[in-house]
């Protein structure tokens, strides 16, 4: 069964074509008013209608391919981006805006829409790409990786620059950026400058990228990009949600600005927090940690859902230990909010399937709040944890939404409950007919939680239901997005 919007439309058109053909045959062979009178115009008209339907189907398919393979606008310098949590996309738009302001028309373009033939005809291109998971490409470019990086191209006339985003705390630092850079070189493309690796948005690497943009623009310098500053917040609420759980303690935190108003954000956005006291001399040397925001601004605070993890030596993790135990209600906590456009709610009128486990429920709760405030009630949540009686976070709220109809369905999986233990991907598989129906209706699927186990299992179920090509279509249509860790 096909589930991308255009392919679904093609299915509808093909069905209509068969109905018209059936009508024509009935017209020919049924006695009475349907009796065939020898006039070939009747059958000819029906066959023409069939051909029109088929032509429309092919036109839709061609339009779909065209939208993916011709992403460039006029003679603008393309800044292709591959983003998992929005940073690469934001930097691509900033880069394009800076170049345009300096007189070089540029535009940010999703890398997912690029094919080898288009790239081969491009004289200059810039790439801003992230690495996710264990050295993987961002989800949105899975089709690009299969179609383009898995094949050959003649790129001798192409000059390019590449910015690779990563985090040195992970073994496969900037692996996707390195893979793309190697593929471009191997197929004849010429780098404008050595690829720039960025460790957690470090200022030195970002400054070098902006210097290279200035050289492309033929100017001495471009306006320096100022990162959004951290602000001082304080904890106004902190409570353990799962005392007695078989798993690690999970805490609900509410934080409010010490001065000024609460900033705006959307469901799916991220709070970046520097672990430790905000004004310690060495605070600038600490990497900020990303946490999905569990609330919306109308709730008056930044809500977080944090698991109290421990290191291999048994000590509390630096950030989790600071936030759940060590920080007092008077301590200043350095926090800033980062937009995550890849994980926002879909357009109004669109069904939404939310899937997650553990503290991944944080982002899903915020998305549900936003959807319900918009009057969108076709929401389906699948959530998994260890024990129903201990680890069912926000239980009263979720069950209330279900009773009121704000949630269409709530499917739960608790892996350590005796006799009924299950994982969230099993619940999804059990609901395969409903999944097919919702996807046929244009539903978006957002997944948040652990990458290993849950997210991989959910992906396997989707591939079982849709096939690999169907999942790639879903990703490239922006209808299957993940925020996993």
């Amino acid at each position: 069964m096909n589930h991308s919007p255009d392919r679904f439309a093609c299915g509808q058109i093909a069905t209509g074509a068969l109905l018209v053909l059936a009508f024509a045959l009935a017209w020919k062979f049924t006695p009475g008013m349907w009796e065939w009178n020898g006039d070939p115009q009747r059958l000819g008209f029906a066959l023409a209608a069939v051909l029109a339907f088929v032509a429309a189907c092919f036109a839709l398919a061609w339009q779909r391919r065209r939208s993916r393979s011709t992403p460039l606008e006029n003679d603008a310098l393309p800044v292709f981006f591959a983003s998992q949590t929005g940073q690469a996309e934001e930097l691509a738009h900033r880069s394009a805006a800076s170049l345009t302001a300096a007189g070089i028309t540029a535009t940010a373009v999703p890398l997912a829409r690029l094919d080898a033939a288009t790239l081969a005809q491009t004289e200059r291109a810039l790439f801003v790409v992230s690495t996710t998971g264990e050295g993987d490409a961002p989800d949105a470019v899975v089709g690009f990786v299969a179609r383009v990086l898995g094949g050959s191209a003649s790129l001798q006339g192409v000059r390019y620059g590449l910015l690779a985003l990563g985090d040195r705390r992970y073994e496969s630092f900037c692996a996707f950026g390195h893979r793309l850079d190697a593929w471009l070189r191997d197929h004849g493309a010429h780098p404008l400058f050595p690829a720039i690796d960025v460790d957690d948005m470090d200022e030195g690497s970002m400054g070098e990228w902006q210097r290279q943009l200035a050289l492309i623009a033929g100017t001495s310098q471009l306006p320096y990009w100022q990162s959004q500053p951290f602000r001082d917040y304080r904890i106004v609420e902190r409570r353990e949600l799962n005392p007695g759980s078989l798993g690690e303690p999970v805490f609900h935190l509410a934080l409010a600005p010490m001065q000024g108003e609460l900033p705006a954000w959307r469901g799916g956005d991220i709070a970046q927090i520097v672990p430790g006291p905000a004004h310690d001399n060495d605070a600038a040397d600490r990497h900020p940690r990303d946490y999905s925001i569990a609330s919306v601004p109308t709730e008056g605070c930044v809500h977080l859902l944090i698991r109290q993890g421990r290191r291999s030596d048994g000590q509390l993790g630096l950030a989790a230990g600071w936030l759940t135990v060590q920080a007092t209600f008077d301590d200043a906590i350095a926090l800033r909010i980062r937009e995550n456009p890849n994980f926002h709610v879909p357009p109004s009128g669109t069904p939404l399937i939310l899937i997650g486990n553990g503290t991944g429920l944080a982002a899903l709760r915020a998305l549900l709040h936003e959807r319900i405030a918009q009057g969108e009630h076709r929401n389906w949540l699948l959530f998994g944890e260890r024990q129903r009686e201990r680890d069912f976070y926000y239980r009263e709220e979720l069950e209330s939404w279900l009773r009121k109809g704000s949630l269409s369905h709530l499917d739960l999986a608790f892996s350590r409950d005796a006799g009924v233990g299950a994982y969230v991907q099993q619940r999804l598989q059990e609901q395969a007919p409903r999944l097919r129906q919702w996807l046929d209706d244009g539903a978006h699927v957002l997944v948040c939680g652990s990458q290993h186990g849950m997210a991989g299992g959910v992906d396997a179920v989707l591939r079982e239901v849709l096939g690999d090509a169907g999942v790639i279509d879903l990703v490239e249509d922006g209808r299957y997005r993940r925020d996993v860790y």
Side-chain angles (χ1 to χ4, degrees):
M1 187 172 291
N2 299 320
H3 299 281
S4 65
D6 291 343
R7 292 174 68 185
F8 178 58
C10 285
Q12 291 180 309
I13 291 171
T15 300
L18 291 174
L19 289 174
V20 171
L21 182 58
F23 176 83
L25 293 174
W27 196 357
K28 177 177 180 179
F29 294 111
T30 303
M33 66 177 293
W34 301 103
E35 185 175 356
W36 177 248
N37 63 3
D39 185 358
Q41 290 184 349
R42 285 189 174 184
L43 186 58
F45 178 80
L47 290 176
V50 171
L51 292 175
F53 272 117
V54 173
C57 186
F58 278 107
L60 277 174
W62 177 83
Q63 179 64 31
R64 179 183 180 85
R65 288 194 299 270
R66 183 175 182 271
S67 68
R68 287 182 179 172
S69 61
T70 56
L72 307 187
E73 298 178 5
N74 301 323
D75 296 323
L77 171 62
V79 185
F80 295 106
F81 63 85
S83 188
Q84 185 71 15
T85 62
Q87 281 189 324
E89 181 176 356
E90 178 185 354
L91 291 175
H93 282 283
R94 281 192 177 190
S95 300
S98 293
L99 289 168
T100 300
I104 303 294
T105 303
T107 183
V109 182
L111 184 62
R113 293 172 53 194
L114 178 64
D115 62 17
T118 303
L119 179 58
Q121 298 172 7
T122 304
E123 294 184 0
R124 286 194 306 178
L126 298 175
F127 297 87
V128 182
V129 300
S130 294
T131 295
T132 188
E134 300 298 327
D136 299 324
D139 292 342
V141 295
V142 61
F144 169 85
V145 170
R147 291 191 304 270
V148 180
L149 297 194
S152 297
S154 179
L155 307 178
Q156 282 74 17
V158 179
R159 294 176 297 156
Y160 73 95
L162 189 145
L163 183 72
L165 307 185
D167 188 332
R168 289 195 185 277
R169 291 176 296 171
Y170 294 91
E171 183 176 349
S172 300
F173 174 62
C174 291
F176 176 61
H178 297 165
R179 178 182 177 186
L180 176 59
D181 184 45
W183 184 86
L184 290 166
R185 289 172 178 266
D186 290 346
H187 290 84
H190 302 280
L192 295 165
F193 47 84
I196 299 172
D197 292 347
V198 182
D199 176 21
D200 198 22
M201 299 299 292
D202 67 276
E203 293 187 2
S205 299
M206 291 308 307
E208 175 61 18
W209 174 254
Q210 291 174 77
R211 190 180 75 84
Q212 294 295 343
L213 294 181
L215 292 175
I216 291 172
T219 183
S220 58
Q221 62 181 13
L222 296 175
Y224 186 74
W225 299 340
Q226 293 290 335
S227 298
Q228 181 183 354
F230 285 91
R231 293 176 57 191
D232 289 346
Y233 284 68
R234 65 183 181 90
I235 298 172
V236 296
E237 181 185 0
R238 179 170 60 196
R239 55 190 169 90
E240 184 180 352
L241 298 185
N242 63 342
S245 171
L246 295 174
E248 303 92 341
V250 170
F251 285 79
H252 166 83
L253 280 80
L255 298 95
M258 285 187 161
Q259 294 182 342
E261 297 181 353
L262 196 68
W265 71 86
R266 294 189 59 187
D269 287 346
I270 292 169
Q272 292 189 306
I273 295 177
V274 178
H279 301 293
D280 270 11
N281 291 333
D282 63 345
D285 296 330
R286 301 194 192 106
H287 286 286
R289 304 298 199 268
D290 288 355
Y291 294 98
S292 296
I293 301 174
S295 57
V296 292
T298 54
E299 294 182 85
C301 288
V302 175
H303 291 181
L304 305 177
L305 192 62
I306 299 178
R307 190 179 301 278
Q308 196 182 69
R310 293 183 179 270
R311 301 191 297 251
S312 57
D313 61 3
Q315 297 295 314
L316 288 172
L318 181 62
W322 164 245
L323 291 169
T324 63
V325 175
Q326 298 151 6
T328 72
F329 281 42
D330 295 324
D331 281 324
I333 295 173
L335 182 151
R336 68 183 176 194
I337 292 175
R338 181 169 64 78
E339 187 181 14
N340 184 12
N342 289 339
F343 215 66
H344 287 169
V345 297
S348 60
T350 303
L352 178 60
I353 305 171
L354 298 171
I355 307 172
N357 70 332
T359 57
L361 185 59
L364 307 185
R365 177 186 184 269
L367 292 166
L368 281 170
H369 263 281
E370 187 170 325
R371 286 272 293 184
I372 293 168
Q374 294 171 350
E376 299 288 342
H377 294 161
R378 196 163 182 202
N379 306 307
W380 175 13
L381 174 64
L382 300 100
F383 171 67
E385 246 290 5
R386 289 177 174 83
Q387 301 166 275
R388 177 184 289 267
E389 293 306 316
R390 304 290 184 183
D391 305 307
F392 192 171
Y393 318 129
Y394 308 123
R395 177 175 186 166
E396 292 182 2
E397 182 177 53
L398 293 174
E399 291 181 339
S400 173
W401 284 340
L402 185 63
R403 288 193 301 270
K404 295 176 181 177
S406 300
L407 262 179
S408 298
H409 304 284
L410 175 61
D411 289 297
L412 303 167
F414 295 97
S415 60
R416 303 295 180 87
D417 280 356
V420 294
Y423 294 97
V424 68
Q425 56 266 33
Q426 293 174 256
R427 293 287 181 255
L428 183 65
Q429 188 174 41
E430 292 167 359
Q431 298 296 337
R434 183 195 298 161
L435 174 63
R436 290 189 183 96
Q437 183 59 60
W438 279 55
L439 292 174
D440 280 346
D441 293 344
H444 285 223
V445 181
L446 272 61
V447 180
C448 191
S450 58
Q451 179 176 5
H452 299 292
M454 186 279 297
V458 167
D459 192 77
V461 172
L462 288 172
R463 291 178 186 277
E464 178 183 322
V465 172
L466 305 179
D468 290 344
V471 170
I472 290 176
D473 282 343
L474 209 61
V475 170
E476 294 192 332
D477 291 337
R479 296 174 56 207
Y480 174 29
R481 291 167 283 161
R482 308 192 304 171
D483 184 0
V484 298
Y485 43 85

